[in-house]
Amino acid sequence: FFQAEDGIRDYKVTGVQTCALPIYPIMLDFCRDNYSYADPTFDPVRRVMWFSSNRPGGYGQLDLWFAYLIQGSWGELYNPGLGVNSPSMEQSPKIMDGDIYYSTDVPGGMGGFDLKLCREQDQWRSSVQLAEPFNTASNDYSCLKLSEHKWILSSRSEEHTSELQSP
């Protein structure tokens, strides 16, 4: 991940943090190792960033992690635990109204990857699998809330074609 700052350009990471133009990124301190950091999402109201990573301290292949932005610096990294993460892969977190929507391939879902919801009111300690039309027999990767009753859903069918759905 990069953080905008005057100075060095470094392209050694997998994700990009939103920043003002012109962009003179520097690598965030916690990304200076050989682990994967991907799918960043930032809530400017709560000043929290969620991402997926295979860093040590996780429970599976990829886990969700979060960190707060405190006085211009990223605080400690938190793993929300087994109520959210699993021995499988959790990825593609999206923050909407403080809640986290993400994709997981944990066994027992409707398809290969399924969308789950982790609520802020539960302090992001547990999650629930979303029902149809959010999840299908295909791989469901991501969602975006446009309004109360309008969403964009991203999935990939067995034939490997991408679809956009709006329930």
Side-chain angles (χ1 to χ4, degrees):
F1 303 135
F2 291 119
Q3 182 170 324
E5 199 168 322
D6 291 330
I8 304 167
R9 286 186 180 265
D10 187 337
Y11 297 99
K12 186 191 167 201
V13 297
T14 59
V16 177
Q17 176 185 343
T18 302
C19 42
L21 295 176
I23 298 172
Y24 300 99
I26 61 167
M27 191 181 309
L28 297 181
D29 286 340
F30 64 83
C31 295
R32 295 185 185 278
D33 54 30
N34 290 322
Y35 299 102
S36 172
Y37 296 88
D39 307 320
T41 184
F42 180 70
D43 183 329
V45 173
R46 292 158 184 84
R47 307 203 41 92
V48 63
M49 176 175 58
W50 282 75
F51 58 93
S52 59
S53 179
N54 64 348
R55 64 180 283 119
Y59 297 94
Q61 298 171 44
L62 283 175
D63 274 16
L64 297 186
W65 294 80
F66 66 95
Y68 288 97
L69 185 61
I70 304 166
Q71 298 177 351
S73 297
W74 292 104
E76 185 176 342
L77 302 182
Y78 296 98
N79 183 307
L82 283 170
V84 174
N85 291 306
S86 73
S88 298
M89 290 193 293
E90 282 71 39
Q91 62 187 22
S92 304
K94 302 288 181 279
I95 298 176
M96 290 180 257
D97 301 322
D99 296 333
I100 309 303
Y101 294 81
Y102 67 97
S103 183
T104 180
D105 68 345
V106 67
M110 295 175 69
F113 277 87
D114 291 299
L115 295 173
K116 291 185 109 177
L117 169 61
C118 174
R119 294 198 179 277
E120 181 182 34
Q121 71 185 21
D122 299 329
Q123 299 178 333
W124 303 314
R125 298 258 184 228
S126 62
S127 63
V128 294
Q129 181 173 313
L130 299 176
E132 288 186 74
F134 290 90
N135 284 311
T136 66
S138 297
N139 290 311
D140 302 299
Y141 291 110
S142 187
C143 61
L144 176 63
K145 184 178 184 179
L146 300 176
S147 66
E148 187 60 32
H149 300 287
K150 195 170 192 176
W151 294 75
I152 294 175
L153 306 176
S154 172
S155 67
R156 182 171 283 253
S157 67
E158 291 300 315
E159 293 81 34
H160 304 290
T161 59
S162 293
E163 318 168 6
L164 287 179
Q165 306 169 357
S166 181

